[in-house]
Amino acid sequence: MIVEHSTKQNIWTRPFFMALLNNFFLFLVFYSLLTILPLYVLDELHGTEGQAGLATTVFLLSAIIVRPFSGKIIELLGKKKTLILSVFMFGISSFIYFWVNDFYFLMGLRFFHGIWFSIGSTVMVAIAADMIPANRKGEGLGYFAMSMNLAVVVGPFLSLALLQWIPYTTLFMGLAWIIVIGFLCSFGIQVTENDVVEQVASRRLTLKDLIEVKAIPIALVGFLTSFAYSGIMSFISVYAKSIGLFESVSLFFVVFAAAMLLSRPYTGRLFDRSGPNAVIYPSLIIFAFGLILLSFTHSVVFLLVSGALIGLGYGALLPSFQTMSIQAAPKRRTGHATATFFIFYDLGIAVGSFMLGLVSSQLGFSALYIICSGVVLVTVAAYKIVTKRRTMAVHQEEALEL
């Protein structure tokens, strides 16, 4: 009877809903700026295409640098204080875009903004993971990831549509006020703090304070996945333009997001009921097939079908890997596990965008997506190795207990 009751533990509590809204607003502003700032550099600051790309690179660079320290910051301040501080500073940074009129000022602001995004996005996942019942972790984090998936579409779509009617400065101010709403939501999030906050202040900074070693294997698998996904994030618009389908690229993202959102409740439950392998292996294969289809696309139908397959495959992978990284660590170190996972995930995006950019300039976009599909297939083998070693480690621990 106890087991039956635990399976019905509620995910959709008021604090969880507030956390989901906070995360949605954070990522909506992140993806909106990611989309419009390269255009702003070209149109308003009269920069080069290389400088436009730096608007993203500098932001990700600061996020990657700060990630290892996020877990330590969360331990020292506690999750609630870290959340409020990071969202507040992220909001202050968002308001400053209104006064940007120089490229180097923008680069400094992007670096500063990335710091608070890194800390805020890390602590939000850690807080959400603590709220979700242990036996529904995959399903709950899947729902939580939907807020990011929705922001991927709503942010760029809304920003690009509004730019046809309003100036950049007005859009910047509107995005800043959206973060104010997210900041207010953070006060409605109830957090159960761990009892280690006071103990860590006097200790010397060690590698353990920066990363969760047990989360590294699955984080490496996440690195390969995000490397392949960077080909979509960075080059799908340019690829669509090169094959005469630029007008349909917004539909690609709509279908991509719809596939993720519609499948998420089912893949989350499957993860909890049947284990990660039941979700991850099929998702990797579907992701790879979608990339292969995209490489041969020359019509709107094939573009949208590939978007659905990529959304269905990739959409289940990120929350699954996040869940596995959190489950690999003690509950008090969910912040460290989350930070470790995102370090490798961000690196995959950054390294992939750079290396695949070189590939596209030499071999073209079709070859780029073939290579991305190959990386996904390599990920299948890497994941198999990680899970095999993880199973062996569990058996060894059980043998020692006996």
Side-chain angles (χ1 to χ4, degrees):
M1 295 297 292
I2 296 176
V3 174
E4 180 66 24
H5 180 267
S6 66
T7 61
K8 295 182 180 179
Q9 287 180 281
N10 188 23
I11 291 176
W12 291 100
T13 60
R14 182 177 177 275
F16 181 77
F17 185 70
M18 289 292 103
L20 190 145
L21 282 179
N22 191 312
N23 200 57
F24 171 72
F25 292 133
L26 183 76
F27 276 89
L28 185 146
V29 173
F30 166 68
Y31 283 115
S32 295
L33 292 174
L34 200 69
T35 303
I36 64 174
L37 280 178
L39 299 173
Y40 180 71
V41 171
L42 294 172
D43 297 341
E44 300 295 321
L45 302 183
H46 308 293
T48 65
E49 292 183 357
Q51 289 176 323
L54 283 174
T56 299
T57 304
V58 169
F59 186 95
L60 287 175
L61 177 64
S62 68
I64 291 169
I65 291 172
V66 173
R67 287 284 188 201
F69 301 94
S70 298
K72 179 70 172 179
I73 293 169
I74 292 169
E75 273 193 333
L76 290 174
L77 298 181
K79 293 186 178 75
K80 186 65 175 281
K81 289 181 180 178
T82 303
L83 172 66
I84 291 175
L85 174 64
S86 59
V87 176
F88 177 78
M89 295 305 297
F90 186 88
I92 292 295
S93 304
S94 301
F95 276 105
I96 298 175
Y97 286 95
F98 182 82
W99 290 280
V100 170
N101 56 10
D102 175 79
F103 174 73
Y104 296 102
F105 180 24
L106 176 64
M107 291 301 98
L109 177 58
R110 289 298 280 166
F111 190 90
F112 183 73
H113 207 179
I115 292 172
W116 303 107
F117 172 78
S118 178
I119 298 171
S121 57
T122 300
V123 73
M124 277 308 312
V125 176
I127 288 172
D130 288 347
M131 292 179 183
I132 300 166
N135 65 325
R136 300 186 68 183
K137 196 75 76 179
E139 182 183 358
L141 284 177
Y143 286 130
F144 188 75
M146 287 172 65
S147 61
M148 290 180 275
N149 300 147
L150 196 58
V152 168
V153 178
V154 175
F157 181 82
L158 188 63
S159 297
L160 291 174
L162 289 174
L163 274 181
Q164 300 178 43
W165 306 97
I166 62 176
Y168 285 98
T169 51
T170 304
L171 181 56
F172 290 149
M173 189 57 65
L175 292 174
W177 281 108
I178 286 175
I179 283 298
V180 171
I181 301 174
F183 177 68
L184 295 176
C185 288
S186 64
F187 289 94
I189 301 173
Q190 297 174 358
V191 180
T192 302
E193 302 288 0
N194 298 312
D195 297 329
V196 296
V197 176
E198 294 151 2
Q199 301 170 6
V200 298
S202 61
R203 292 198 285 110
R204 292 173 56 189
L205 192 67
T206 64
L207 181 63
K208 187 179 179 182
D209 292 317
L210 302 181
I211 62 173
E212 174 54 57
V213 175
K214 293 181 179 179
I216 289 179
I218 199 65
L220 286 169
V221 177
F223 169 86
L224 292 173
T225 305
S226 65
F227 183 101
Y229 177 63
S230 70
I232 301 296
M233 178 181 287
S234 301
F235 303 108
I236 185 62
S237 296
V238 184
Y239 175 54
K241 187 175 182 179
S242 70
I243 59 176
L245 297 175
F246 184 74
E247 295 78 8
S248 302
V249 74
S250 58
L251 288 177
F252 173 92
F253 283 109
V254 170
V255 172
F256 175 87
M260 286 194 294
L261 295 173
L262 292 174
S263 64
R264 185 56 51 75
Y266 305 102
T267 55
R269 294 190 193 113
L270 182 62
F271 182 101
D272 291 326
R273 186 174 64 249
S274 303
N277 291 353
V279 174
I280 291 173
Y281 281 123
S283 297
L284 286 169
I285 298 302
I286 293 170
F287 186 21
F289 184 72
L291 289 166
I292 293 172
L293 183 62
L294 183 63
S295 70
F296 295 108
T297 293
H298 284 93
S299 69
V300 175
V301 172
F302 276 90
L303 180 69
L304 299 184
V305 171
S306 64
L309 291 173
I310 292 169
L312 182 62
Y314 172 79
L317 293 172
L318 177 59
S320 296
F321 292 148
Q322 272 185 343
T323 303
M324 291 183 70
S325 65
I326 289 170
Q327 290 175 335
K331 185 175 181 180
R332 66 181 180 83
R333 289 181 60 83
T334 53
H336 293 81
T338 302
T340 301
F341 176 80
F342 275 121
I343 289 168
F344 286 90
Y345 179 83
D346 292 342
L347 275 173
I349 295 291
V351 174
S353 296
F354 175 73
M355 293 186 66
L356 293 175
L358 298 178
V359 169
S360 65
S361 64
Q362 296 296 320
L363 303 177
F365 291 106
S366 292
L368 180 151
Y369 290 117
I370 289 292
I371 291 173
C372 286
S373 66
V375 172
V376 176
L377 293 177
V378 170
T379 307
V380 175
Y383 174 74
K384 186 174 183 179
I385 293 171
V386 167
T387 52
K388 184 177 180 180
R389 291 182 176 178
R390 191 171 179 172
T391 302
M392 290 174 60
V394 170
H395 290 329
Q396 287 176 354
E397 289 179 1
E398 291 175 349
L400 289 173
E401 290 177 359
L402 293 175

